Amino acid sequence: MGLEAGSLNREQTLHLALAMGKALLKNGAETSRVEDTISRFCHMHGYHDINVFVTPTVIILGDETSDGSTIISRIRSRSTNLNVISEVNDFSYNVNSWPLTYQQTLDYLDGLLHKAPPYGEWSICAASAVSSAAFSMMLGGNAHDFIAAFITGGLSMVLLKQLGGYRPSAFWENALSGAAIGALAIMCCEMDGECTRTNIIVGALMPFLPGVAFTNGLRDYMAGDLMSGNARIAEAMLFATSIAIGLAFSLLIWYHWGWKLWA
């Protein structure tokens, strides 16, 4: 027996809806998509009185009655995995033909929630190195800038991934990555006089910029989710600021003391 309309009781519907919402929000879906998916699933099973409230860090499902059921889930970490979002979206639109039972579906959604990223850490580091080098060339850099940006972007991403194992705050992760970009760019330019520091730094910064978070914040704004829009845009601005602080720190140290030591 699948999940045809009317086959689930209220508690089962709430638990499946919450599992769908967690899988979507944890993997980078915008707030409006999460709310729409949860509401549509509940309405499909006949529960039109269930209200949904979603922010980037919490999902609340419940109704307005004093004796109604309410479920809350806290989302403490988020990443971007469009494959998971696509799978949950396909499931939500094909519930009536879904072949799995309630428990099997719950296990399936739990598997999506804890699904590993499609690319390993070293693949991400290699992609960061290549994209950094390509961006430096787009800015008018030469072959020396290409190689220097490749090294700078790749090693900075390696540092970011290694720091993730110690679970520091995202602010410090990005600040240290920005400091590494500045330090490596300076070293490359000192070892090779034909390198352009600006092209290297800007090229290496590109893979670290929070473009997805900023875009999702704007989409939440356009959908009327002002709280989520504020939170996502503030998060993106904080990440960008932390990278700038780390980069500025490296340049400040170099201009005050580093050039004397190097000389």
Side-chain angles (χ1 to χ4, degrees):
M1 181 179 177
L3 301 178
E4 294 84 2
S7 63
L8 301 178
N9 59 37
R10 189 182 186 86
E11 183 178 358
Q12 290 174 330
T13 301
L14 286 175
H15 279 94
L16 281 181
L18 182 64
M20 294 166 63
K22 288 166 63 177
L24 287 172
L25 195 60
K26 193 175 178 67
N27 286 281
E30 62 273 19
T31 301
S32 56
R33 179 187 296 272
V34 178
E35 291 186 344
D36 175 71
T37 301
I38 292 175
S39 298
R40 182 159 30 82
F41 182 79
C42 293
H43 294 168
M44 188 178 299
H45 287 85
Y47 302 104
H48 300 276
D49 58 337
I50 294 178
N51 295 314
V52 186
F53 178 72
V54 178
T55 72
T57 57
V58 69
I59 301 175
I60 302 176
L61 298 178
D63 55 39
E64 299 178 3
T65 61
S66 58
D67 57 346
S69 300
T70 300
I71 301 180
I72 301 175
S73 179
R74 181 79 160 83
I75 307 299
R76 300 187 179 277
S77 62
R78 297 177 304 281
S79 60
T80 302
N81 191 336
L82 300 181
N83 184 53
V84 171
I85 296 175
S86 177
E87 290 188 43
V88 175
N89 191 62
D90 290 341
F91 162 67
S92 70
Y93 279 102
N94 297 281
V95 172
N96 287 330
S97 59
W98 190 251
L100 302 181
T101 63
Y102 164 74
Q103 188 58 50
Q104 291 172 331
T105 303
L106 200 60
D107 294 339
Y108 167 75
L109 293 173
D110 185 67
L112 290 180
L113 180 64
H114 298 94
K115 189 174 183 179
Y119 305 106
E121 292 185 355
W122 293 110
S123 297
I124 294 175
C125 294
S128 175
V130 172
S131 60
S132 297
F135 277 118
S136 71
M137 293 296 288
M138 289 177 60
L139 294 170
N142 53 33
H144 300 267
D145 295 334
F146 181 91
I147 297 173
F150 182 92
I151 296 171
T152 301
L155 291 181
S156 299
M157 186 60 72
V158 169
L159 174 64
L160 180 64
K161 294 302 180 183
Q162 293 302 313
L163 288 173
Y166 297 97
R167 298 186 181 277
S169 67
F171 179 90
W172 291 112
E173 284 185 5
N174 287 281
L176 290 174
S177 298
I181 290 172
L184 290 169
I186 290 170
M187 291 175 62
C188 290
C189 290
E190 290 300 322
M191 290 187 292
D192 186 349
E194 296 191 44
C195 288
T196 306
R197 188 177 304 163
T198 302
N199 293 340
I200 298 170
I201 290 176
V202 175
L205 280 175
M206 289 299 181
F208 293 87
L209 297 180
V212 174
F214 190 82
T215 301
N216 282 345
L218 291 178
R219 293 186 67 176
D220 285 341
Y221 263 130
M222 290 187 289
D225 299 312
L226 302 183
M227 183 179 295
S228 296
N230 279 329
R232 289 186 187 275
I233 291 178
E235 180 185 45
M237 297 300 293
L238 179 64
F239 287 172
T241 302
S242 64
I243 296 173
I245 289 173
L247 177 60
F249 179 78
S250 289
L251 296 176
L252 186 65
I253 293 296
W254 170 253
Y255 284 126
H256 279 77
W257 296 288
W259 66 272
K260 298 178 182 179
L261 296 176
W262 192 275

